[in-house]
Every structure is written in C-alpha cells, then in structure tokens.
Amino acid sequence: SDPEEFALSPDGSKLYVSNEDVKTASIVDVATAKVQHIILVGQEPEGVAVTPDGNQIYVTGEAGGDILVFDAHNYKTVAHFKVPPRPRSVDFRTDAPIAFIPSESAGILNIIDTDTSTVSRAITLPKGSRPMRVRVNKDNTKVYVSDGRAGTVTVLDARTYNIDSTIKVGKRPWGIVLSPDGKFLYSANGPSNDVSVVDLAQGKEIARIKAGDSPWGVTIVPTTARR
C-alpha cells in the first residue's frame, strides 16, 4: 500500500520499492513482475536507493529520520542511523564511498560516509529550502537538490560541498533527473503542473512542459536508435 519511491538494481534485474503505509520495502523481480521479498523497515519509508555496486539498499524513514541499510543479497539489516527529520531521497557518488541525503524539515543536505554509515557533514541549504530529491551527475563533480517550496534547485560541488548556485524553476520542485549527456536537468513541479527544463551550462530554466495535475516524479527512458 502507498508505494512512494523505487530504484532499479544496477543490472536492471530487481526493482526496490518503499511502501509508506505498511512500513515495508518490496523487492520485485523485473523479468517476472513478481514480488520476491518484503523487508520490514519501520515507520513511513520514503526514499529508496541502491549503492552503485549493487550490494546495499538504502531506505529513508520520513517521520523519524531513520536511515536503514540492507544487504541486497540476503536482505538483512547492515546499518541503522539517523538524520534530521523527513529525509526524502538518497544518491551516491560512484567514485567514493559517499552518499547524499536531504532532510526536508531542517533544510540541510547530509553527507554520508557509506563505509561507516555515519553523517560526516551537514550542509545548510539556502534560506527557505525544503530539499526533496538529490542527484549526482555522472562525472561526480556536481550535486543537484530540488528545494521544494523554495522553487529552486541548488547546485553544489560534489567534493568540497560548496554551494555553486541556485536555479529558479517551477513551483515546489520535487523529482529531478539529469539527461544522459549531462546537459539538462528536468524538475517535476507539482503546484504549477509542469516540468522545468534547465540548461546546466547556462544555469537557467529554458522551457516548461505541461505535465497534467500535480507531477512529483520524473525519469528518462532512453530511446533505441532506428535505422
């Protein structure tokens, strides 16, 4: 009941889903579309992500700030730590044992040492930020955070964690995704019923796409070239 977020395993064979109402995460076999396993994760699971090596699953607990880490092979708990309330999502650097988890209520971005499952730093985001989704670009140089009610996306250096800029987008951006070539960012803006297209080289929004009522998530499906 109430699936919130999903993540694919690196090999594309498994789908990990957080189920808020029933305090679980589901492991789905993509080929058969069958639930293989259900993990009990505690109160209000929200974000779910898998480490770049495919060995661990992270699930964020919205209410209490709990972060649970599970072995992706036997589904046993390998770590449990806390961040400030309402952690919405997780993303990882692929070149270092570092994760990023935003805490919406506190307006901060938590830097996580994934080797020790501890918070190494907490970065205060610009005033008014209610951070939702975090994304790291492919070359591990930038971190992008949707700021929710602030109506912006914050750009940080992925190594120094300094804030480079903020980009104005639509109302209450939640889900964000980067284009495969790294040139564009797309944000789903619920109250304005659209998706912002951001040119990252220019550092500004260049278009809006109407997207029905209250969009909150966005992803990209690569197309297959036709001869």
Side-chain angles (χ1 to χ4, degrees), residues 149-153 166-170 196 198 203-205 208:
R149 297 183 190 281
T152 57
V153 172
T166 57
I167 302 169
K168 187 67 179 174
V169 290
S196 293
V198 174
K204 68 177 184 180
E205 180 188 68
R208 296 266 186 100

Side-chain angles (χ1 to χ4, degrees), residues 1-6 17-22 26 45-46 216:
S1 176
D2 196 18
E4 287 287 316
E5 297 279 353
F6 70 89
V17 186
S18 59
N19 308 303
E20 184 172 16
D21 284 353
V22 289
S26 301
E46 173 79 15
W216 65 268

